[in-house]
Amino acid sequence: HPATPTRSILFIKGNYWIVRDSISSTNEHRAEVRFHFDSSGNDALEIKCFGRDGRWFEEDGHVSHCYGEREPARTGVFSAPLKNGDDIVTFLLPKTGIDWNVEEIEAEDGRAFLVSVGKRQDLVIIRPAEWLWRRSFDEQVLETISVEQ
């Protein structure tokens, strides 16, 4: 049975990326989101994935820094069963000494996440036709962005 995958990306300038992978299908499918790491072992990103009944695992992989070269490198995989309308939401957070905390919270329509760093808190709401992002510091709203899809 065919499935149509869709990927949406929101970049919070100077901070982090949010990636939403969803599927349109009449049947359930297993979706895998793969992250290929550099062969040096220096991971520049912290990756947080959220999906119904999802699991994270690592496997051996390869990268190429030049045509014709191939070096061993690890590959991180987040795997989850997706039904029509389900999604996997991934936060790609730079490792810059910041202690990122990302948690999914309850939402009436769509999915919601809190991204916290000290007294700074970002609220991310992802609905079928809209993304909403709001930054607060010490409970004072600093900035809000709404993007229609």
Side-chain angles (χ1 to χ4, degrees), residues 89-108:
V89 178
T90 304
F91 289 80
L92 303 171
L93 310 149
K95 287 187 177 177
T96 57
I98 295 174
D99 187 20
W100 297 99
N101 182 43
V102 181
E103 63 180 302
E104 186 165 8
I105 60 174
E106 195 170 320
E108 284 186 28

Side-chain angles (χ1 to χ4, degrees), residues 37-54:
F37 297 98
D38 189 62
S39 57
S40 69
N42 295 331
D43 301 338
L45 295 173
E46 184 175 341
I47 301 171
K48 307 262 187 180
C49 294
F50 298 86
R52 178 183 56 87
D53 298 326

Side-chain angles (χ1 to χ4, degrees), residues 7 26 28 33 45 73 81 93 100 116 120 123 126 134 148:
R7 173 169 277 177
T26 55
E28 182 174 281
V33 182
L45 295 173
L93 310 149
W100 297 99
S116 304
R120 188 181 85 195
L123 172 65
I126 302 172
R134 183 184 72 203
E148 292 183 21

Side-chain angles (χ1 to χ4, degrees), residues 49-66:
C49 294
F50 298 86
R52 178 183 56 87
D53 298 326
R55 67 182 187 95
W56 177 265
F57 61 92
E58 290 186 9
E59 59 187 24
D60 293 334
H62 295 89
V63 295
S64 176
H65 296 285
C66 181

